[in-house]
């Protein structure tokens, strides 16, 4: 029997996507008590004690889904196309102000939990402090603080450049001391000017000690991998999430690797495929073409972008079919990907072969599993925290309807999406 | 050609004329006012494709100018000492939020009186990068203080003429607009409010450097010796201006006031920050004790048989406010240039409520119109911004506030902000609920 306390709200959903089930349910009542979901039942079958005070909200023409979990954000990003190298030159205070803005924007768009995959110095931890003090309105924050990088490696400008197993161990311990919820490691180079995307960065020994130390303290590890070799090293070390997961040989050729996929399946490793940025790059080139100003160099660039994106989509499709759990995560506001547009990444999952409901699962329950928070978040079930969103239009056949968010509920509270303070 | 915008309404209080203009309008382009006055007289200057904002029965006034803010602060009774321990990143986030609060409340120009380290300079960087919005900001960087002096925890502690001069130059290098100096102690636990902090020579080192660059100075003065030193050093604005002697007795000093007038210094008396404390105590809160209050308790007549310390503090706050109001009234009578500077968010006084201070200036003897002047044109003049802010005059920035009710009927109507334009841009202030969230009201408690 449920122990009701106060502030009971019943949401009568016309349609419910609960996050864990592929089945779309009709006419479901969700009972929220304080900050928790305490019951989920067909509307006719709900039996509340009569004397209990409650408020019923009619969403019979709307769809309710779990609050979205974005398993890959950079709150520090601006999303106006500037590089990470440029971003890291901004003072911490400026980045902090930007992070608070981004956090609010993402929350208002329907994302109730984010996993932040790397910010400069202590800014991520300070944002959390500001949120706890009530001066910043943010989604729930799962933080890495600073990403671990080799000297000159990807994201090394954020302040955690380390070498050797002792420094790796110390860095993990120090981040955990500061409040890190997980460890992000750049296992290969990336967009950072001084890094090498086609080479793994940390040695196997270094990777091993990072994962060992993180796991010892109950923290998961997510590894940025822009080539196949870095994926093998990461999987051998035992990481929990592979980010990007680009199948590229060290000479730059694209090659799908069954052996790596098998390793991922065997170890139950999540993939965060980050299809959004590629999708945006393709769109940008197409728009440029439509605008009419298109040089030979543009055409070359456009072809390259398309080939890479096709490769990523194809690999996504094969891995999805093979059963690799796909954790959606936007990678915004990195590069030109502005915060508040998580739906683009989720639409990418549909292009890659998931059904809309599967893609929503990727952005809710699966993302929460990859963030190690599935016990309390990522689905609409009795016992979970009350993070939910209401859509005006059903996304079941039209994933673009994820853009029709009309209410965001976090921790049992309706968010004032017009609060610009 | 840029888009022309026009705001019009039944009542235009432009702060140029002594009386409101009936059926007035303000025409602006590129954020600058092109023309303002009676609609019929200026309407032929309006472009056919201009964007017209017709506010019908509402009141048009210039954006407000608050000469004394603390955007790092919370206004919830927290001490400055506590704010001084917070990380700069957190304070930058708070400052960005407070800056929006200021702007949404109708304050389009602020002078910041004491943030930690570079936090407000960084907020300005963020604004310049398009990452934040804020009113026009006149910044001091951090206050200049002696070791352990008031707001020394914000990062500007210096000793001796050389260090004082060096800090002044460093602040100029960092891009500050004016110097804030704490000439006496204050609420800072380690400081002495009844004593001057800097020696005269140290003060001169800063004020002379200011003169060299045509920069203004303002000093925090909680006792008379500090006021006297500051006037000798040609400081442009005396803040708080408490007529306290070194033994803690408070007595208005007409001679010192004459010296203020003779030196043409502005006075920012900060009346409401004391009333905010009073309101908070009336609500049964137990705000943190700053050093000032501790020392006052030792130096004035709180007798030992008073059991209830909160009651004693309530009496202290009432007494303190009455004294301040009385002294302010006398300064206004003698003709001192008294302006609005809220001192929010310091102590219990939160940003977004600047007009509470103006209201008390009216209670001290200003007419409603003079009160309005003290938070618009006179305040702008005190900040050296007469060319940009404070009135709706040709050539000035189009900083415009639309009120539901007329402040010339009741100065409290300054609270009825309906819309805000800043530098010609209409400001989207978000939901009504969020804009009510920062209002601090008189508690409904029996006095």
């Amino acid at each position: 029997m449920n122990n009701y306390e106060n502030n009971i709200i019943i949401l009568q959903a016309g349609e419910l996507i609960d996050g864990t089930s592929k089945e779309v349910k009709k006419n479901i009542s969700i009972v929220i008590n304080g900050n928790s979901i305490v019951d989920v039942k067909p509307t006719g079958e709900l039996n509340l004690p009569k004397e209990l005070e409650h408020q019923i909200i009619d969403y019979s023409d709307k769809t309710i889904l779990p609050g979205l979990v974005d398993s890959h954000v950079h709150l520090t990003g601006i999303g106006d196309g500037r590089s990470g190298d440029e971003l890291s030159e901004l003072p911490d205070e400026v980045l902090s102000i930007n992070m608070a803005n981004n956090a609010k924007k993402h929350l208002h768009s329907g994302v109730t939990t984010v996993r932040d995959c790397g910010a400069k110095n202590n800014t991520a931890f300070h944002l959390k402090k500001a949120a706890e003090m009530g001066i910043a309105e943010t989604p729930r924050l799962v933080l890495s603080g600073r990403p671990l990088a080799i000297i000159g490696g990807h994201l090394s400008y954020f302040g955690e450049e380390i070498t050797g197993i002792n420094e790796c161990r110390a860095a993990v311990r120090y981040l955990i001391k500061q409040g890190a919820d997980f460890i992000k490691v750049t296992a290969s180079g990336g967009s950072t000017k001084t890094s090498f995307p086609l080479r793994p960065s940390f040695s196997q020994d270094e990777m091993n000690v990072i994962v060992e130390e993180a796991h010892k303290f109950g923290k998961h590890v997510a590894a940025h991998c822009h080539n196949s070799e870095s994926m093998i090293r990461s999987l051998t070390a035992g990481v929990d999430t592979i980010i990007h997961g680009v199948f590229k040989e060290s000479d730059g050729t694209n090659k799908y690797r069954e052996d790596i996929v098998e390793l991922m399946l065997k170890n139950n490793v999540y993939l965060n495929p980050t299809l959004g940025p590629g999708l945006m790059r393709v769109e940008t080139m197409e728009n440029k073409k439509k605008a009419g100003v298109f040089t030979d160099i543009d055409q070359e660039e456009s072809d390259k972008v398309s080939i890479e994106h096709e490769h990523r989509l194809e690999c996504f499709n094969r891995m999805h079919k093979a059963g690799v759990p796909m954790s959606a995560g936007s990678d915004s506001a990195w590069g030109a990907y502005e915060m508040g547009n998580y739906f683009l990444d989720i639409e990418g999952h549909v292009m890659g072969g998931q059904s809309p409901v599967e893609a929503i699962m990727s952005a809710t329950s699966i993302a929460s599993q990859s963030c190690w928070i599935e016990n309390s978040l990522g689905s609409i079930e009795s016992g979970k925290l009350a993070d939910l969103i209401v859509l005006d239009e059903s996304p079941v056949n039209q994933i673009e309807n994820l853009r029709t968010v009309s209410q965001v509920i976090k921790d049992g509270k309706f968010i004032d999406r017009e609060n610009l303070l | 050609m840029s888009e022309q915008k026009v705001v019009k309404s039944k009542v235009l209080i432009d702060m140029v004329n002594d009386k409101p203009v009936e059926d007035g309008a303000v025409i602006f382009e590129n954020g600058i006012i092109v023309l303002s006055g009676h609609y019929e007289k200026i309407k032929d200057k309006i472009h056919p494709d201009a964007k017209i904002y017709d506010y019908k029965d509402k009141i048009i006034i210039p954006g407000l100018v608050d000469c004394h803010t603390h955007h790092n602060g919370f206004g919830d009774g927290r001490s400055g000492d506590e704010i001084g321990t917070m990380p700069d990143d957190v304070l930058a986030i708070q400052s960005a939020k407070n800056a929006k609060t200021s702007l949404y409340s109708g304050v389009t120009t602020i002078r910041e009186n004491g943030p930690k380290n570079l936090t407000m300079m960084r907020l300005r960087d963020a604004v310049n990068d398009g990452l934040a919005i804020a009113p026009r900001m006149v910044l001091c960087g951090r206050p200049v203080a002696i070791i352990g002096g008031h707001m020394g925890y914000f990062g500007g502690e210096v000793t001796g003429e050389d260090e004082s001069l060096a800090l002044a130059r460093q602040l100029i290098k960092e891009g500050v607009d004016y110097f804030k100096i704490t000439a006496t102690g204050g609420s800072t636990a380690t400081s002495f409010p009844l004593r001057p902090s800097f020696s005269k020579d140290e003060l001169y080192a800063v004020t002379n450097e200011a003169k060299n660059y045509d920069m203004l100075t303002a000093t925090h003065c909680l006792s008379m010796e500090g006021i006297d030193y500051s006037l000798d050093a040609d400081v442009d604005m005396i803040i708080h201006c408490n007529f306290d002697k070194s033994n803690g007795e408070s007595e208005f000093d007409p001679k010192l006031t004459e010296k203020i007038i003779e030196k043409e210094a502005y006075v920012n008396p900060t009346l409401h920050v004391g009333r905010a404390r009073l309101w908070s105590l009336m609500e049964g809160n137990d705000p943190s004790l700053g050093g000032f209050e501790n020392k006052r308790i030792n130096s004035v007549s709180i007798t030992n048989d008073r059991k209830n310390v909160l009651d004693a503090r309530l009496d202290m706050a009432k007494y303190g406010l009455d004294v301040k109001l009385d002294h302010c009234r006398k300064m206004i009578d003698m003709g001192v240039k008294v302006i609005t500077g809220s001192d929010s968010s310091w102590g219990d006084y939160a940003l977004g409520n600047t007009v509470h201070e103006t209201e008390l200036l009216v209670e001290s003897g200003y007419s409603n119109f003079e009160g309005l002047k003290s938070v618009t044109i006179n305040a702008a003049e005190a900040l050296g911004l007469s060319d940009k802010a404070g009135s709706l005059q040709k050539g000035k920035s189009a900083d415009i506030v639309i009120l539901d009710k007329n402040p010339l009927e009741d100065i409290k109507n300054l609270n009825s902000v309906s819309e805000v334009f800043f530098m010609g841009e209409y400001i989207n202030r978000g939901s009504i609920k969020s804009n009510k969230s920062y209002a601090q009201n008189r508690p409904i408690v029996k006095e």
Side-chain angles (χ1 to χ4, degrees):
Chain A
M1 189 61 210
N2 285 315
N3 209 357
Y4 295 110
E5 283 165 12
N6 47 23
N7 192 21
I8 291 175
I9 302 172
I10 298 167
L11 310 179
Q12 292 181 342
E15 184 175 86
L16 173 75
I17 301 171
D18 70 11
T20 54
S21 156
K22 283 186 196 175
E23 188 199 342
V24 178
K25 296 172 188 137
K26 299 282 180 189
N27 298 318
I28 300 290
S29 280
I30 303 154
V31 184
I32 297 173
N33 182 22
N35 71 344
S36 305
I37 298 167
V38 289
D39 215 347
V40 183
K41 271 207 179 85
T43 295
E45 293 171 26
L46 192 65
N47 230 339
L48 280 183
K50 268 189 190 139
E51 65 280 7
L52 206 62
E53 266 187 52
H54 60 267
Q55 183 194 355
I56 294 174
I57 304 175
D58 180 13
Y59 289 125
S60 54
D61 57 344
K62 299 191 192 295
T63 304
I64 295 186
L65 33 151
L68 300 177
V69 178
D70 190 340
S71 74
H72 189 160
V73 297
H74 292 281
L75 290 170
T76 195
I78 295 173
D80 63 353
R82 73 181 91 179
S83 68
D85 296 82
E86 285 172 274
L87 200 61
S88 67
E89 283 169 15
L90 293 175
D92 289 9
E93 298 94 327
V94 173
L95 293 170
S96 297
I97 291 169
N98 181 49
M99 289 173 87
N101 289 343
N102 275 337
K104 182 192 282 267
K105 206 167 170 185
H106 228 37
L107 174 65
H108 288 184
S109 78
V111 180
T112 49
T113 302
V114 297
R115 177 166 69 177
D116 190 89
C117 286
K120 194 179 165 194
N121 298 335
N122 294 320
T123 51
F125 300 127
H126 286 155
L127 176 68
K128 191 166 199 170
K129 188 177 166 70
E132 285 165 359
M133 288 166 67
I135 59 179
E137 191 187 20
T138 73
R140 297 176 194 276
L141 301 169
V142 180
L143 301 178
S144 62
R146 297 174 296 283
L148 304 185
I150 63 164
I151 293 175
H154 186 43
L155 308 187
S156 57
Y157 38 62
F158 283 159
E160 203 64 69
E161 276 183 331
I162 48 175
T163 312
I165 57 173
N166 277 343
E167 280 189 22
C168 287
R169 211 186 282 280
V172 171
R173 288 178 183 170
Y174 192 66
L175 283 167
I176 292 172
K177 174 188 165 189
Q178 285 192 293
D181 302 296
F182 77 105
I183 299 298
K184 160 83 183 277
V185 52
T186 57
S188 77
S191 61
T192 303
K193 275 183 201 149
T194 51
S195 74
F196 295 81
L198 294 177
R199 296 285 178 277
S201 55
F202 286 107
S203 69
Q204 190 65 57
D205 285 346
E206 289 169 320
M207 287 299 294
N208 291 348
V209 79
I210 289 166
V211 176
E212 179 196 315
E213 203 63 21
H215 283 175
K216 187 163 92 186
F217 297 110
K219 308 294 177 188
H220 68 279
V221 180
H224 159 102
C225 297
H226 247 284
N227 60 59
S228 303
E229 184 57 30
S230 64
M231 288 166 81
I232 290 176
R233 277 193 199 174
S234 299
L235 292 166
T236 306
V239 306
D240 307 285
T241 297
I242 297 278
I243 296 169
H244 310 303
V246 185
F247 287 119
K248 262 188 195 298
E249 301 304 307
S250 61
D251 61 359
T253 52
N254 291 334
K255 187 179 161 198
Y256 185 76
R257 292 276 297 265
E258 300 273 2
D259 56 329
I260 293 177
V261 175
E262 269 170 36
L263 212 48
M264 288 182 76
L265 287 169
K266 198 178 108 201
N267 297 348
N268 190 33
V269 173
Y270 292 81
L271 177 71
N272 164 219
T274 64
L275 296 172
L279 193 64
M280 284 180 63
R281 277 194 283 272
V282 173
E283 270 179 19
T284 309
M285 294 317 286
E286 277 171 3
N287 288 339
K288 213 170 169 185
K289 199 165 195 170
K290 272 183 211 153
V293 214
F294 216 60
T295 63
D296 286 352
I297 297 167
D298 287 336
Q299 188 60 52
E300 208 174 294
E301 173 73 16
S302 171
D303 292 346
K304 214 169 103 187
V305 162
S306 297
I307 288 167
E308 290 303 324
H309 188 55
E310 285 306 317
H311 173 62
R312 295 282 291 276
L313 281 180
E314 190 203 323
C315 292
F316 176 95
N317 192 283
R318 291 174 73 173
M319 289 167 94
H320 170 56
K321 281 187 181 145
V324 173
M326 295 293 181
S327 171
S330 62
D331 207 359
S332 58
W334 202 251
Y337 194 172
E338 267 185 71
M339 224 75 201
N341 300 295
Y342 186 24
F343 51 79
L344 284 174
D345 183 64
I346 301 166
E347 287 166 19
H349 280 239
V350 174
M351 286 178 202
Q354 288 189 325
S355 74
V357 174
E358 282 173 337
I360 288 167
M361 286 162 65
S362 290
T364 54
S365 63
I366 304 200
S368 73
Q369 287 161 22
S370 83
C371 295
W372 290 18
I373 51 172
E374 73 276 17
N375 285 341
S376 51
L377 294 160
S379 63
I380 297 177
E381 291 171 285
S382 175
K384 294 286 168 84
L385 290 170
D387 288 7
L388 314 96
I389 58 174
V390 181
L391 305 184
D392 283 342
E393 305 291 335
S394 170
V396 173
N397 297 311
Q398 188 84 30
I399 192 65
E400 286 78 9
N401 285 340
L402 261 186
R403 302 176 187 210
T404 65
V405 175
S406 62
Q407 288 287 359
V408 177
I409 301 163
K410 183 193 153 201
D411 216 32
K413 293 187 188 75
F414 284 79
I415 300 293
D416 177 4
R417 299 168 72 222
E418 301 296 313
N419 180 355
L420 301 181
L421 281 172
Chain B
M1 199 184 67
S2 87
E3 194 192 5
Q4 191 186 64
K5 295 175 194 166
V6 180
V7 294
K8 64 189 285 264
S9 86
K10 213 161 183 182
V11 185
L12 164 67
I13 307 174
D14 57 15
M15 302 317 287
V16 185
N17 298 291
D18 284 346
K19 277 181 184 160
V21 178
E22 265 185 52
D23 296 317
V26 183
I27 309 174
F28 48 102
E29 285 171 22
N30 289 325
I32 304 290
I33 297 168
V34 199
L35 207 56
S36 82
H38 190 39
Y39 179 73
E40 292 298 326
K41 280 186 197 158
I42 63 172
K43 71 175 180 188
D44 56 331
K45 295 279 190 277
I46 298 173
H47 295 157
D49 55 352
K51 190 166 169 60
I52 314 270
Y53 297 86
D54 187 350
Y55 289 113
K56 309 241 160 41
D57 290 342
K58 297 191 179 189
I59 320 292
I60 304 175
I61 62 166
L64 304 179
V65 180
D66 188 338
C67 291
H68 188 155
T69 63
H70 294 279
H71 277 69
N72 277 187
F74 296 80
D76 60 356
R78 235 177 275 237
S79 68
D81 297 77
E82 190 184 335
I83 294 166
T85 64
M86 291 177 187
D88 291 8
D89 294 349
V90 171
L91 293 174
I93 290 171
Q94 172 69 354
S95 302
K97 187 181 181 204
N98 271 332
K100 282 187 268 186
T101 304
S102 293
L103 189 59
Y104 297 173
S105 76
V107 175
T108 49
T109 301
I110 61 103
R111 176 151 86 172
E112 180 63 18
N113 272 247
K116 192 179 174 194
N117 296 336
L118 290 163
T119 48
M120 287 300 282
M121 308 307 289
R122 294 310 189 208
L123 174 59
R124 175 181 279 175
D125 291 342
V127 171
N128 289 340
D129 208 333
L131 303 174
I133 54 167
R136 177 177 298 102
M137 300 193 291
V138 181
L139 302 181
C140 65
R142 47 222 134 98
V144 182
I146 64 164
I147 292 174
H150 186 43
M151 298 197 272
Y153 41 65
F154 284 160
E157 283 182 341
V158 285
T159 312
E161 290 168 67
D162 288 351
E163 276 188 28
S164 303
L165 178 59
L167 179 58
R169 289 178 178 164
Q170 175 64 29
L171 290 169
I172 291 169
K173 177 183 162 190
E174 288 166 9
V176 309
D177 306 300
Y178 85 107
F179 295 131
K180 163 81 184 271
I181 309 159
T182 57
T184 70
S187 61
T188 302
T190 52
S191 75
F192 296 83
L194 299 176
R195 297 284 176 280
S197 53
F198 287 107
S199 72
K200 284 191 179 184
D201 287 339
E202 288 169 316
L203 268 185
Y204 295 160
V206 181
T207 56
N208 284 337
E209 196 64 3
K211 281 181 199 163
N212 195 21
Y213 296 98
D214 298 326
M215 288 169 72
L216 296 174
T217 51
T219 51
H220 158 104
C221 299
L222 285 191
S223 46
M224 287 197 281
E225 223 172 339
I227 300 173
D228 198 40
Y229 280 25
S230 299
L231 294 171
D232 285 344
D234 295 333
V235 163
D236 303 289
M237 189 188 291
I238 306 290
I239 296 164
H240 308 303
C241 199
N242 289 11
F243 290 93
D244 284 6
K245 300 176 192 169
S246 61
N247 64 2
E249 284 170 19
S250 205
E251 192 186 339
F252 183 72
D253 185 339
K255 240 178 134 180
L256 188 59
T257 308
E258 265 164 30
K259 190 167 173 180
I260 294 172
I261 294 166
E262 184 190 314
K263 287 279 187 175
E264 297 182 347
Y266 284 88
V267 170
N268 163 214
T270 66
L271 305 170
H272 182 74
V273 72
R275 187 170 62 161
R277 163 89 11 153
L278 182 63
W279 287 0
S280 183
L281 290 166
M282 279 160 69
E283 280 179 323
N285 294 332
D286 187 12
S288 68
L289 281 170
F292 177 57
E293 207 167 347
N294 285 331
K295 289 193 180 82
R296 280 297 289 257
I297 284 169
N298 291 336
S299 58
V300 290
S301 56
I302 297 288
T303 51
N304 295 328
D305 59 354
R306 295 294 293 270
K307 281 183 190 139
N308 191 331
V309 177
L310 272 180
D311 262 4
R313 292 176 68 194
L314 197 59
D315 284 354
M316 271 287 308
K318 276 183 195 159
Y319 170 75
L321 179 61
D322 285 346
V323 169
K324 290 278 292 180
L325 284 168
D326 178 50
H327 292 176
C328 185
R329 192 170 296 124
K330 286 171 175 151
M331 281 194 281
I332 287 175
D333 281 349
M334 286 179 67
V336 174
K337 297 189 284 183
V338 176
I339 44 87
T340 295
S342 65
D343 204 0
S344 57
S345 287
W346 197 259
D348 305 82
Y349 190 178
L351 275 157
N353 298 280
T354 295
V355 295
H356 285 330
E357 177 71 12
T358 311
E359 185 198 324
L360 285 184
L361 292 184
V362 169
E363 210 165 292
S364 304
Y366 271 164
S367 67
N368 288 334
F369 189 69
E370 287 165 331
L372 192 54
K373 278 174 97 171
S374 81
V375 69
T376 54
I377 190 156
N378 290 356
E381 196 179 288
L383 303 189
L385 290 173
S386 300
D387 57 332
K388 286 194 180 70
S391 66
L392 298 172
Q393 198 175 359
K394 184 183 170 177
K396 290 200 185 188
S397 176
D399 305 346
I400 302 165
V401 171
I402 311 296
L403 300 175
D404 287 333
K405 292 184 265 177
N406 193 333
L408 300 184
E409 285 160 15
D410 181 348
I411 197 71
K412 289 193 189 79
N413 289 343
L414 277 175
N415 283 310
S416 65
V417 173
S418 161
E419 304 292 348
V420 177
F421 290 79
F422 177 49
M423 292 171 75
E425 294 296 324
Y426 172 85
I427 302 296
N428 177 4
R429 301 154 69 227
S431 65
I432 292 168
K433 192 181 158 203
S434 64
N435 278 286
K436 281 187 175 164
S437 69
Y438 51 77
Q440 289 182 323
N441 299 315
R442 177 189 293 276
I444 308 161
V445 197
K446 276 185 192 168
E447 284 198 39

